Amino acid sequence: MPEFFYYRTVSNAKMKKNVLGLLIILIVSACVQNKKLAVFGDENNQLSFVSINKDLGVITEGERVEFEYEFTNTGKSPISILNAVPTCGCTSAEFDETPIPPNNKGKIKVSFDSRGKKGINKKDIVVQTNLSEPNDIIVLSFEIKVEAQ
């Protein structure tokens, strides 16, 4: 067997291995969700939410859904949630009024009552903080489809 043929065979085998490895990396990367934080404020006063928009899927009319918006104080000063006001009476929001120290987590608990809310519902919770303007108001939103019983 000529020497260049052997070299080519080894080279093709390595190339196939490299291509397969690259393909696996691309597939795994595509499957992993890209979690971008929603960041508000500046480096001194800063809140980072895991998500400010949620798709809650489909439920049956009459069900009550409870979920949370999680956040972290990624700034250098304590942050306070001053108020969390839903834009609809079918939704309620609870939060801890204690200031969140730097590098600590907090959450806003939300409850949605689907009675009389058939169809696609898009709701907001307006959150007031002690961040400096214009980031002192944060709007959290969710969407849910309510099907008839």
Side-chain angles (χ1 to χ4, degrees):
M1 179 179 286
E3 190 176 313
F4 84 90
F5 183 74
Y6 176 75
Y7 174 75
R8 217 159 184 221
T9 304
V10 171
S11 192
N12 282 341
K14 281 185 178 180
M15 189 165 144
K16 285 180 184 177
K17 207 178 206 181
N18 289 342
V19 169
L20 182 61
L22 183 60
L23 188 59
I24 289 171
I25 289 171
L26 289 173
I27 290 171
V28 169
S29 297
C31 292
V32 174
Q33 288 184 350
N34 183 10
K35 290 190 173 184
K36 281 190 167 182
L37 296 176
V39 180
F40 299 90
D42 58 30
E43 61 190 39
N44 290 319
N45 293 321
Q46 189 174 73
L47 278 182
S48 299
F49 280 81
V50 174
S51 174
I52 59 169
N53 301 305
K54 294 187 179 276
D55 183 349
L56 302 178
V58 181
I59 63 170
T60 303
E61 185 183 8
E63 285 184 60
R64 187 176 197 86
V65 178
E66 294 180 352
F67 58 97
E68 298 173 342
Y69 290 93
E70 297 179 17
F71 61 87
T72 303
N73 179 348
T74 50
K76 297 175 183 171
S77 304
I79 301 292
S80 295
I81 302 294
L82 305 174
N83 209 350
V85 181
T87 56
C88 176
C90 60
T91 306
S92 63
E94 296 178 15
F95 60 95
D96 188 358
E97 295 180 23
T98 308
I100 310 295
N103 300 315
N104 280 274
K105 295 182 182 287
K107 53 183 100 171
I108 297 172
K109 296 178 185 177
V110 178
S111 179
F112 171 73
D113 184 354
S114 67
R115 285 181 294 173
K117 297 292 180 186
K118 285 183 245 174
I120 295 175
N121 289 267
K122 296 178 183 179
K123 306 296 177 188
D124 296 326
I125 298 98
V126 179
V127 179
Q128 184 182 9
T129 69
N130 67 335
L131 294 173
S132 42
E133 289 185 35
N135 294 300
D136 59 334
I137 301 293
I138 299 168
V139 179
L140 307 174
S141 63
F142 69 93
E143 182 174 310
I144 191 164
K145 183 177 181 183
V146 179
E147 293 184 339
Q149 293 180 355

